[in-house]
Amino acid sequence: MNEVLEYYTSLIEHVKASSDVEGRLIEFEFLNYILDLLSDAGEFDDYEIVEDGRDGAGRWLIDGYSFDTNNYSLSLFVTLISSSEEPSTLTKREIESAIKKLSKFVTKALTEHLPSIFEPSSNCYQAARLVLDNWSDVSRIRFIVVSNRPASERMRALTIDDIEGRPCTVHLWDLRRIFKLESSRNEREEMIIDFRDNPLPCLVAHDDAEGEQSILTVMPGTRLVSLYGQWGARLLEQNVRSFLQHRGKVNKGIRATILSDPAHFFAYNNGLTTTAQGIVIEQTNNGPMIVELRNLQIVNGGQTTASIYSAYVKDKADLSRISLQMKLTVLSDEASTELVPKISRYANSQNKVSDADLFSNHPFHVRLEEFSRRIWVPVRAGQNAQTHWFYERARGQYLDAQAYLTPSKKKQFQQLHPRSQLITKTDVAKVMNSWDCLPHEVSKGAQKNFAKFAEVIDTQWEKDNLVFNESYFRKLICRASIFRALEKAIMKEDWYAGYRANIVTYAIARLSLEISNQSLDWNMDVLWRAPVIPNPIMMILRQLSHAINELLLSDSRPVGNPSEYAKRQMFWDTVKKIDCDIVKISNFLISKVEAAEQAVTSKLVQKIDNGIHAQETILKTPKKTWEKVEQYLLDEDAATPTLMQILQVAKNPKKLPSEKQSIVLAKLLTRYSGRF
């Protein structure tokens, strides 16, 4: 419990400090922090915080919402926060009271004349309109209670009645659960699927001593719909989720078969390829039965799953005759990180699902992490010494780095790595895509935006990974600093009424587009050394933000909900027409020609660094590994005289491979890494 209390103290201090700086109520600063965490964990995608969603008489409330267009679930958020030195226990009565008020908000949105209850320019009104406009598509409602207080461990699961035939569930994220997620090495919370009420017959095709199993089963369509309705995109392995969200459309052929020829669906469809990290099989008179799966992931069949679910929800399709073959590979936790991406890639060979989702061990991540631990940031205003930006390529790294430190060492760590300078993979995607003029992609939410970003990065990495050098990292940090400064600045503007995420990404994209159109680029050396974000830059961004806010909230907008409008290319086309005068920031700009010359120099430095790093890797690799690589090359008839000669050097401890030889050897290690 001491760790949890330390986490509580650290979290509330961070939220208070951030709240003071941004001029935002602590409840909403906390909610924003936690919803970012849960979004990254795949609980939902994009979300909106409603800062004016509390009835003065305390009859109803809504602190935020999210509507998932993949499985049509509506998530409604409420926060219960404490700022005392030690958190009190969260009671069942408090939770039930909050849920009741959320439920009343839904009822009002569906039954009353909205302009007479909510101010039409308010976020609360927009939330009510989203509920009303999408009600026919809503398949279920998730009431999500977020709190920095621990609930009683003896508290039973909370239930709530359906609303107009829509099943409702309660999800409590209290202090213990949040701490467990953030401190875990897992990207998301463990998922346990119980089949005991209706076990799945199966055939075990392979079962080895290490616990890896290959299993065949048949998944009924009704069961798949139930699972997808409950877990949504969390069922989809990251590559597939990105593929589905970025390109996915409901497959017309699958839909047609479901509606007109369900008896042949099993014959026509390739089925599902899945993985799990744990399984419970019971032997019965009818053969082996799957009764439980841990962390089930669909690595091929994501579009099939979404299409079946869409046919069920939108077309009210009868799924009683729909079933799919399912190939299941059960892997240990250790093997999952390495093998799941490979299974995904090979299983999806008919549809290009690249390494674009950038798993935490992708070299892009590893390189950014190495830069973040090594590169010192110049002293900023309010700081006494140089610091690091901490790049968290895997969940929990920031807390894990402090877990076993003494109080004094922990304090020192936090001074060198302020929580305000913690940056995650989805943060990087949001910042870089904003500056790269893709605000409509950023507005689609963390996961979909990450898919777009990862696709671009993966292509560039394969083409020339030298562009991801120290200059790239410094550019990222400069961009992130301006991005976060603008997030704070607009909160204090009189005109601000919500939709911060959309306003910030569009303002930055508009400024970036103007600079590019005038054949200019940022002088990153000047920005990197600046103790604060230069005021002329912030002035332009605030002006752009104001103009974008007016467009976003205009009564004449062609799309009803502002956050939905922000996801459209048409809004970006409109924003491009906003006047943007960059004369006052000319001191911070250089020509594109000069920027290109600097980029060439940075790539040369990275090339040298790559060679040195490759040499270090080769020297640490044992002779037995090189002998295995040699045998693999011979078995594949790929052993060219040059490769064999280089391998002889690698096997000789008295010889030092050149940088060029080391790079070749490093590629061989990567090529055969899964076999060692």
Side-chain angles (χ1 to χ4, degrees):
M1 187 62 182
N2 286 338
E3 285 184 337
V4 177
L5 290 177
E6 286 181 9
Y7 175 70
Y8 168 83
T9 302
S10 172
L11 179 59
I12 201 66
E13 286 178 356
H14 168 71
V15 171
K16 279 183 176 179
S18 184
S19 174
D20 290 342
V21 171
E22 299 197 15
R24 191 181 205 178
L25 290 176
I26 190 172
E27 288 90 343
F28 298 111
E29 194 61 31
F30 169 74
L31 183 62
N32 184 76
Y33 180 85
I34 300 303
L35 294 189
D36 272 349
L37 181 69
L38 297 182
S39 178
D40 285 351
E43 291 295 319
F44 43 82
D45 198 10
D46 58 331
Y47 64 86
E48 290 292 337
I49 289 179
V50 181
E51 297 190 32
D52 52 15
R54 299 203 172 195
D55 176 36
R59 295 164 296 185
W60 52 264
L61 64 77
I62 179 171
D63 287 340
Y65 61 91
S66 174
F67 182 57
D68 189 333
T69 54
N70 286 320
N71 73 339
Y72 309 106
S73 66
L74 174 66
S75 298
L76 302 175
F77 310 116
V78 60
T79 179
L80 301 172
I81 188 173
S82 168
S83 56
S84 59
E85 288 189 11
E86 291 191 5
S88 58
T89 301
L90 190 62
T91 67
K92 185 177 181 181
R93 179 176 296 179
E94 290 175 289
I95 299 170
E96 288 178 334
S97 175
I99 294 169
K100 185 177 180 180
K101 292 175 182 177
L102 272 177
S103 181
K104 282 188 176 179
F105 173 82
V106 176
T107 302
K108 281 187 172 293
L110 296 176
T111 61
E112 300 192 26
H113 181 56
L114 299 187
S116 65
I117 309 171
F118 312 116
E119 169 58 43
S121 63
S122 68
N123 280 10
C124 192
Y125 175 83
Q126 298 299 337
R129 281 242 50 111
L130 180 133
V131 172
L132 181 62
D133 293 345
N134 292 281
W135 188 247
S136 61
D137 289 337
V138 172
S139 62
R140 63 180 60 226
I141 305 173
R142 304 166 72 219
F143 292 95
I144 301 178
V145 181
V146 175
S147 178
N148 69 334
R149 297 161 58 192
S152 170
E153 295 187 51
R154 294 176 294 177
M155 186 184 295
R156 295 181 179 179
L158 299 165
T159 59
I160 185 173
D161 294 336
D162 294 355
I163 298 178
E164 293 192 7
R166 274 68 169 180
C168 300
T169 53
V170 178
H171 303 262
L172 173 61
W173 284 90
D174 70 336
L175 180 64
R176 291 190 186 91
R177 191 177 181 190
I178 292 169
F179 170 72
K180 186 177 179 181
L181 174 63
E182 189 165 13
S183 60
S184 170
R185 282 286 188 175
N186 297 322
E187 290 294 316
R188 48 191 175 175
E189 192 178 48
E190 191 166 68
M191 179 169 55
I192 304 295
I193 299 177
D194 191 341
F195 291 107
R196 285 178 173 80
D197 291 341
N198 193 2
L200 291 177
C202 67
L203 171 65
V204 180
H206 170 73
D207 190 352
D208 65 23
E210 282 73 37
E212 184 174 321
Q213 296 171 287
S214 299
I215 297 167
L216 296 176
T217 185
V218 174
M219 175 68 73
T222 52
R223 181 71 62 86
L224 183 62
V225 160
S226 176
L227 290 175
Y228 192 62
Q230 179 180 359
W231 300 103
R234 286 199 59 193
L235 274 179
L236 306 180
E237 189 270 331
Q238 284 187 321
N239 265 347
V240 179
R241 182 168 69 251
S242 299
F243 174 75
L244 178 64
Q245 290 178 334
H246 186 51
R247 309 174 181 82
K249 299 290 183 184
V250 174
N251 188 296
K252 293 180 181 179
I254 293 175
R255 176 178 176 273
T257 303
I258 292 171
L259 297 177
S260 61
D261 194 11
H264 291 106
F265 186 89
F266 187 91
Y268 294 161
N269 192 270
N270 291 328
L272 308 176
T273 300
T274 63
T275 66
Q277 290 180 323
I279 189 170
V280 177
I281 296 178
E282 291 184 355
Q283 297 295 331
T284 70
N285 292 334
N286 294 321
M289 297 280 186
I290 299 174
V291 297
E292 182 180 285
L293 286 173
R294 180 167 64 89
N295 294 336
L296 176 67
Q297 295 280 273
I298 297 172
V299 298
N300 181 273
Q303 192 174 76
T304 295
T305 302
S307 298
I308 292 174
Y309 191 84
S310 178
Y312 173 75
V313 173
K314 287 186 170 291
D315 301 310
K316 311 302 178 187
D318 178 9
L319 302 181
S320 60
R321 301 174 70 187
I322 301 296
S323 59
L324 305 90
Q325 59 179 324
M326 186 173 94
K327 181 174 71 173
L328 171 66
T329 303
V330 182
L331 303 164
S332 66
D333 294 359
E334 295 76 20
S336 292
T337 301
E338 178 184 339
L339 295 181
V340 170
K342 293 183 179 181
I343 294 172
S344 173
R345 186 163 61 250
Y346 300 147
N348 286 282
S349 58
Q350 76 278 16
N351 292 316
K352 177 67 168 73
V353 179
S354 69
D355 296 325
D357 200 40
L358 300 180
F359 295 88
S360 58
N361 59 351
H362 187 284
F364 172 80
H365 283 315
V366 176
R367 188 174 293 178
L368 281 192
E369 180 187 34
E370 189 271 327
F371 288 149
S372 78
R373 305 301 191 266
R374 175 168 59 82
I375 296 176
W376 292 95
V377 179
V379 179
R380 304 303 190 204
Q383 297 177 343
N384 297 319
Q386 290 183 311
T387 57
H388 291 291
W389 275 65
F390 191 100
Y391 180 61
E392 193 175 60
R393 69 177 176 90
R395 184 173 306 288
Q397 281 185 313
Y398 184 75
L399 291 178
D400 189 52
Q402 308 171 56
Y404 304 106
L405 299 179
T406 63
S408 61
K409 290 289 186 182
K410 182 177 291 188
K411 184 177 180 180
Q412 182 183 28
F413 177 89
Q414 291 172 352
Q415 288 175 339
L416 296 177
H417 310 85
R419 185 185 275 269
S420 60
Q421 292 177 190
L422 170 65
I423 187 166
T424 66
K425 296 192 294 290
T426 50
D427 290 335
V428 171
K430 178 171 60 177
V431 169
M432 298 305 277
N433 273 357
S434 295
W435 286 100
D436 291 341
C437 300
L438 296 170
H440 49 300
E441 298 291 347
V442 176
S443 295
K444 292 176 183 177
Q447 298 297 326
K448 293 179 182 178
N449 176 60
F450 185 73
K452 178 65 177 179
F453 172 74
E455 180 184 277
V456 173
I457 293 298
D458 188 61
T459 300
Q460 182 60 61
W461 185 275
E462 292 300 319
K463 181 180 178 181
D464 181 8
N465 70 73
L466 295 178
V467 300
F468 303 109
N469 47 53
E470 288 192 16
S471 292
Y472 177 89
F473 180 77
R474 290 191 176 91
K475 179 190 292 185
L476 164 63
I477 299 309
C478 289
R479 288 180 169 187
S481 299
I482 296 174
F483 191 99
R484 292 183 177 180
L486 182 59
E487 284 184 319
K488 295 175 183 178
I490 67 169
M491 298 290 293
K492 302 174 183 178
E493 298 288 344
D494 294 337
W495 51 261
Y496 177 71
Y499 304 101
R500 181 177 73 168
N502 306 126
I503 294 169
V504 170
T505 185
Y506 271 94
I508 284 176
R510 178 63 189 94
L511 176 58
S512 185
L513 178 65
E514 188 66 27
I515 292 169
S516 178
N517 286 345
Q518 297 194 29
S519 296
L520 298 171
D521 205 336
W522 290 100
N523 188 333
M524 285 300 167
D525 288 339
V526 172
L527 292 180
W528 178 255
R529 294 193 301 269
V532 296
I533 306 302
N535 190 53
I537 296 175
M538 294 307 300
M539 285 182 62
I540 290 178
L541 287 172
R542 284 198 296 268
Q543 291 167 1
L544 288 171
S545 296
H546 189 191
I548 289 163
N549 179 70
E550 291 184 346
L551 287 174
L552 195 60
L553 299 182
S554 171
D555 292 336
S556 62
R557 64 178 179 271
V559 179
N561 186 272
S563 60
E564 287 300 313
Y565 187 26
K567 298 174 184 177
R568 309 292 180 88
Q569 176 72 42
M570 71 173 79
F571 184 58
W572 176 223
D573 291 338
T574 301
V575 170
K576 289 177 184 178
K577 299 173 184 176
I578 296 175
D579 289 337
C580 181
D581 185 356
I582 61 174
V583 172
K584 293 182 179 180
I585 63 171
S586 58
N587 291 340
F588 309 105
L589 303 173
I590 58 177
S591 69
K592 279 190 175 181
V593 173
E594 188 176 351
E597 291 173 352
Q598 293 178 358
V600 170
T601 302
S602 298
K603 286 174 63 175
L604 290 175
V605 172
Q606 186 60 47
K607 185 175 182 179
I608 294 171
D609 288 346
N610 285 357
I612 294 172
H613 178 71
Q615 281 184 311
E616 292 175 348
T617 301
I618 302 315
L619 292 174
K620 292 177 182 178
T621 304
K623 181 179 179 180
K624 288 184 178 180
T625 299
W626 297 121
E627 290 174 346
K628 290 181 180 179
V629 170
E630 187 176 48
Q631 189 58 52
Y632 294 145
L633 288 170
L634 291 170
D635 293 344
E636 296 174 3
D637 197 24
T640 66
T642 301
L643 286 179
M644 298 304 285
Q645 184 178 359
I646 294 175
L647 279 170
Q648 294 307 312
V649 176
K651 290 191 295 181
N652 188 341
K654 296 181 179 180
K655 289 188 176 182
L656 177 66
S658 67
E659 287 186 13
K660 287 185 178 180
Q661 289 175 328
S662 296
I663 291 173
V664 172
L665 291 167
K667 289 180 179 179
L668 288 175
L669 285 177
T670 301
R671 178 177 173 181
Y672 296 113
S673 60
R675 303 191 190 183
F676 300 137

